Amino acid sequence: MGYIEDVLQHVYERDAAQPEFHQAVTEVFESLRPLLDRQPRYQQHRILERMVEPDRIMIFRVGWMDDRGRVHYNRGYRVQFNNALGPYKGGLRFHPTVYLGLMKFLGFEQVFKNALTTLPLGGAKGGSDFDPKGKSDTEIMHFCQSFMTELCRYIGPDTDVPAGDIGVGVREIGYLFGQYKRLANEFNGTLTGKKPGWGGSLLRPEATGYGLIYFAEEMLATRGDSLQGKICTVSGAGSVAQHAAERIIRSGGKVVTMSDSGGMIHDPDGIDAEKLAWIMEHKNVERGRLSDYVERFRRATYHEGQRPWSVPCHCAFPCATQNELTGGDAAVLLKNGVQLVAEGANMPCTPEAVEAFLQAGILYAPGKAANAGGVAVSGLEMSQNAMHGSWTREEVEARLRSIMAEIHNNIRSTAEEYGKPGHYVLGANIAAFVKVADAMIDQGVV
Ligand code: NDP
Ligand code: 2IT
């Protein structure tokens, strides 16, 4: 067996029962063949073995009391994966499916994503199997305070800087920051995604979705095309999906679907700015279900338990969760003439789906490139906090645009250099790997 197979086998055996982690590692390592053939030093330094082993993993109990005085406990995690390039950086996810394998897949992806941003950021992920659905505001606050009481031992502005992810938005970041500040007795940039009124960066909530669409526009431009007039399917109805939809509409595309964990809405007339504003209010403030959309906008239909991929489109943007677009879905999308798939979520396409898109030669962008705008603006928030100042919305937007363009150029030129022009998976994985691996070699055996 070769070096890559040996390390993968080791991971499959040693970290059995972590299928998402296996999937993420396999995707990255399979891309590295042409690089490792040219550069034996990565094997000499045993970089692959060292990269799959997180620097540190914290697992802790989070006890809390609900509004009726009943006692609950959840499991909390922080996986500090790799800090070769900068302080650990990555989101927190509150969702009942959270377990160690999910945290490790997300942390591993984050290392590579953050390397692509051009900013000095290491990679981490954390969260809890706590389910925020149906909880009152005080219950959310008590949970966040208890979670932070333990997490605060491990984080800091130059150590590890958490942010949001599924189930963790500006409300949760507020409660987490309030408790952090109290325990650390410092007001600093330890969390990103804060409200702009108290240290957050303008445009951070929009950054992942906007960045995704800027990236997609860069991809389309390589074929002399744009989003103007394109039919687009979006999955999810959370932070990433909402802002992706907003940006598609502004670029002249037509968004015909969105979804949540209950099902999918299909609006053949297009979800315009006004309808999207209703969705944002309904999901973010009222915390309601997307199914209510069809009561309000009668030409739309709701499809319980379904995802958007059977709806014909030119461009598809999976923005909900991992493995939400299967090989079967990819076949249907391709049959219907899809031209571009860009991942807003982390690893939403299964390996079979990715393979189908690559074989078909459509424009396909992996999440670690296409959704890097969120963590990039988190990096900009860290800079603003460190200099005790803030940039205007225009300034942050210009920086985000130029970072997304730079990621795109870097990936395309890397793919070309390794004989696979237009292969965004190979380009992203090799470009990110080289940056992290070279830093690890420079910093010695640790
Ligand atoms: P949110 O919690 O704001 O929204 C998540 C959306 O996805 C909701 O509509 C939710 O449905 C739906 N969803 C979540 N889990 C499932 C599931 N298991 N099955 C079906 N639908 C599901 O999260 P974000 O928008 O922040 O994150 C979405 C994706 O983007 C994740 O993969 C995340 O890791 C990734 N990402 C997020 C970034 C960020 O800055 N926030 C940055 C880069 C990537 P419901 O409303 O019913 O809960
Ligand atoms: O997956 C991701 O990149 C995020 N959830 C954002 C992380 C961050 O630190 O802003």
Side-chain angles (χ1 to χ4, degrees), residues 20 37 77 94 99 127 146 154 161 166 193 213 247 268 272 284 291 313 317 359 401 418 430 433:
E20 296 87 358
D37 288 347
Y77 299 87
F94 291 169
Y99 79 107
S146 183
Y154 315 113
V161 182
I166 290 176
I213 303 310
R247 201 67 235 181
D272 59 18
N284 307 350
S291 54
C313 63
F317 298 97
Q359 287 292 331
R401 266 187 197 275
Y418 286 89
I430 292 185
F433 175 87

Side-chain angles (χ1 to χ4, degrees), residues 93 95 106 113 125 133 164-167 204 208 236-241 259-262 283 289 319-321 344-346 371 374:
R93 179 177 291 192
H95 195 270
L106 289 161
K113 180 193 309 193
K125 200 81 186 189
K133 281 213 176 67
D165 193 79
I166 290 176
R204 173 62 190 90
T208 310
S239 167
V240 179
S259 65
D260 65 9
S261 53
K283 291 298 291 184
R289 309 305 306 159
C319 297
T321 194
N346 285 309
N371 72 34

Side-chain angles (χ1 to χ4, degrees), residues 116-383:
L116 291 171
T117 61
T118 74
L119 303 173
L121 301 170
K125 200 81 186 189
S128 174
D129 57 2
F130 173 74
D131 186 357
K133 281 213 176 67
K135 303 291 189 297
S136 71
D137 207 51
T138 36
E139 288 170 339
I140 299 280
M141 182 177 77
H142 288 144
F143 178 80
C144 288
Q145 290 176 340
S146 183
F147 181 84
M148 181 52 82
T149 301
E150 179 63 22
L151 185 71
C152 78
R153 301 169 193 269
Y154 315 113
I155 61 178
D158 297 313
T159 305
D160 183 354
V161 182
D165 193 79
I166 290 176
V168 178
V170 70
R171 172 180 61 165
E172 290 73 21
I173 293 292
Y175 295 145
L176 290 164
F177 185 69
Q179 184 74 350
Y180 171 80
K181 195 166 54 77
R182 189 176 178 205
L183 293 163
N185 196 24
E186 265 184 41
F187 192 113
N188 60 35
T190 294
L191 288 152
T192 61
K194 302 183 291 299
K195 256 196 191 163
W198 39 270
S201 176
L202 291 167
L203 217 80
R204 173 62 190 90
E206 296 89 341
T208 310
Y210 281 18
L212 171 69
I213 303 310
Y214 299 155
F215 194 91
E217 288 178 312
E218 295 280 343
M219 295 171 84
L220 287 164
T222 65
R223 298 192 175 176
D225 209 346
S226 75
L227 272 174
Q228 186 65 42
K230 295 280 186 301
I231 309 271
C232 300
T233 50
V234 173
S235 69
S239 167
V240 179
Q242 291 171 12
H243 296 107
E246 185 183 344
R247 201 67 235 181
I248 293 168
I249 298 165
R250 279 213 232 158
S251 294
K254 183 172 174 182
V255 178
V256 292
T257 68
M258 288 182 79
S259 65
D260 65 9
S261 53
M264 181 260 289
I265 51 160
H266 178 205
D267 188 338
D269 296 337
I271 299 169
D272 59 18
E274 192 189 323
K275 294 172 180 174
L276 183 62
W278 181 89
I279 292 177
M280 288 184 175
E281 172 79 12
H282 192 64
K283 291 298 291 184
N284 307 350
V285 182
E286 290 158 32
R287 301 193 183 265
R289 309 305 306 159
L290 198 56
S291 54
D292 299 334
Y293 182 93
V294 298
E295 311 286 318
R296 179 75 205 269
F297 305 106
R298 298 239 169 226
R299 273 176 49 80
T301 49
Y302 177 67
H303 305 264
E304 194 173 332
Q306 288 195 30
R307 293 176 304 235
W309 318 126
S310 59
V311 174
C313 63
H314 302 112
C315 305
F317 298 97
C319 297
T321 194
Q322 64 279 350
N323 291 327
E324 56 162 318
L325 196 163
T326 65
D329 297 325
V332 175
L333 280 165
L334 289 167
K335 184 169 71 61
N336 288 333
V338 74
Q339 296 162 10
L340 174 144
V341 178
E343 296 184 341
N346 285 309
M347 209 169 75
C349 297
T350 66
E352 296 74 26
V354 175
E355 191 50 36
F357 296 141
L358 293 174
Q359 287 292 331
I362 65 155
L363 294 167
Y364 164 72
K368 64 171 73 70
N371 72 34
V375 74
V377 173
S378 277
L380 302 182
E381 184 168 326
M382 289 164 69
S383 302

